[in-house]
Amino acid sequence: MANSREQPATVLRRIISSPGCHQGPACFDALSAKLIESAGFSYCITSGFSISATRLGLPDAGFISYGEIIDQGRLITQSVKIPVIGDGDNGYGNAMNVKRTVKGFIDAGFAGIILEDQVAPKACGHTRGRKVVSREEAVMKIKAAVDARTESGSDIVIVARSDARQGVSLEEALWRTNAYAEAGADVIFIDALGSVEEMKAFCQVAPHVPHLANMLEGGGKTPILNAQELDQVGYKLAVYPLSLMGVSIRAMQGALSAIKVGGIPPPESLPSFEEIKEIVGFNDYYKEEERYATTTDH
């Protein structure tokens, strides 16, 4: 966990440099981020898929804007002490837009940023119709991200993602991620790999750079492996983009069904009111409030 003097990126870099494959569930708002932190995870990510769904009620198909992501991200990073890797989509435009996006993520308190090589409008990498920009443009955007970091005097972790596995071929995705590492990316990531063999082939690319695995839950294209298995394959980070949103959807559907037939959700399906108050911070608030109590009643 970070102390008050450490930058989020410094903490994240220390996590990445430590042994093992480190799990980072995805949050979509401040409450889900706080739950991840309370569960003992050392970092988390933001899921553009989940933020688009929960903030806009729309699919991850390029609807959500840079400003909305920054606004949501700032609320998330301010709510927790663990480092947060932000989903920067395709940088919201060309190389100049990427520079603005990286600087905005730094200012919003993110420890890292994921940037992908999809064309606009982008979409979830496990859905159909993925298309990517040219090799030259994709590499130049990573270089722009590195320049933005340098210009800002920051150490934000740049995660370069390729969607070329679905958009072109495995070979193209391997070439691109190697080029991204050479351009200065700190972590590389191919989305929607289709087998353990493909995952192993990816982890042979730029072995000096950490690799990220996307464990898309509920029927994605990539096999779901546990952290120990991912470590053996060669991954350093493993993220889980839909777990919290997915179980929230199912739980809310169940609660609404119970209410609709005249009841309330069964006690075992939800925390007590006292537990809810603890989770959202009422008890900490009361302790803080006592520090500033006065003898005068108003």
Side-chain angles (χ1 to χ4, degrees):
M1 183 179 293
N3 62 43
S4 59
R5 290 170 292 183
E6 282 188 307
Q7 294 298 312
T10 303
V11 182
L12 181 59
R13 288 181 182 276
R14 185 165 63 245
I15 292 166
I16 293 172
S17 66
S18 62
C21 180
H22 305 281
Q23 297 173 297
C27 63
F28 48 85
D29 60 11
L31 178 58
S32 55
K34 287 170 69 71
L35 291 171
I36 292 169
E37 181 178 50
S38 296
F41 290 94
S42 59
Y43 75 100
C44 67
I45 69 163
T46 63
S47 163
F49 187 113
S50 297
I51 292 175
S52 182
T54 57
R55 185 176 172 114
L56 304 183
L58 291 172
D60 181 23
F63 289 112
I64 198 156
S65 69
Y66 162 81
E68 289 165 324
I69 287 290
I70 287 290
D71 180 57
Q72 194 81 347
R74 194 183 304 277
L75 295 173
I76 289 168
T77 63
Q78 290 177 349
S79 72
V80 293
K81 295 183 176 66
I82 59 174
V84 183
I85 301 174
D87 185 352
D89 289 339
N90 58 6
Y92 305 99
N94 62 16
M96 297 303 294
N97 293 99
V98 167
K99 292 187 76 172
R100 178 177 185 243
T101 297
V102 171
K103 291 177 181 180
F105 273 55
I106 293 168
D107 184 62
F110 283 105
I113 180 171
I114 302 172
L115 294 165
E116 62 200 54
D117 54 11
Q118 285 194 52
V119 301
K122 59 84 60 188
C124 171
H126 290 250
T127 57
R128 66 185 185 184
R130 297 305 92 238
K131 295 179 181 179
V132 293
V133 300
S134 70
R135 286 181 173 185
E136 182 181 20
E137 181 179 352
V139 172
M140 200 60 67
K141 288 170 79 170
I142 297 303
K143 289 182 177 179
V146 173
D147 287 345
R149 176 176 63 193
T150 302
E151 292 167 9
S152 300
S154 168
D155 202 23
I156 190 171
V157 174
I158 296 171
V159 182
R161 160 181 159 175
S162 180
D163 286 79
R165 172 63 190 94
Q166 299 302 315
V168 185
S169 66
L170 174 63
E171 291 70 25
E172 179 68 12
L174 296 174
W175 187 95
R176 285 176 179 241
T177 45
N178 185 67
Y180 300 160
E182 291 179 350
D186 300 294
V187 178
I188 53 177
F189 163 27
I190 297 177
D191 202 19
L193 290 170
S195 67
V196 174
E197 288 69 31
E198 291 187 2
M199 297 166 76
K200 290 179 178 178
F202 169 49
C203 286
Q204 296 303 310
V205 171
H208 60 289
V209 174
H211 293 59
L212 181 148
N214 186 23
M215 297 286 93
L216 185 75
E217 314 88 329
K221 298 180 182 298
T222 305
I224 302 296
L225 306 181
N226 63 38
Q228 183 177 3
E229 292 169 332
L230 289 168
D231 181 38
Q232 292 171 349
V233 171
Y235 284 101
K236 179 55 63 175
L237 300 176
V239 299
Y240 303 81
L242 297 182
S243 288
L244 294 191
M245 187 187 74
V247 298
S248 298
I249 289 171
R250 186 63 77 225
M252 286 190 284
Q253 288 174 329
L256 292 168
S257 295
I259 294 169
K260 194 171 185 179
V261 297
I264 60 171
E268 66 273 10
S269 71
L270 78 166
S272 68
F273 184 50
E274 290 302 318
E275 289 174 309
I276 292 173
K277 288 195 295 181
E278 171 64 26
I279 289 167
V280 302
F282 266 104
N283 292 336
D284 289 336
Y285 172 83
Y286 294 145
K287 292 176 184 177
E288 184 79 0
E289 185 182 41
E290 289 175 1
R291 293 177 55 191
Y292 306 105
T294 66
T295 58
T296 304
D297 293 329
H298 295 285

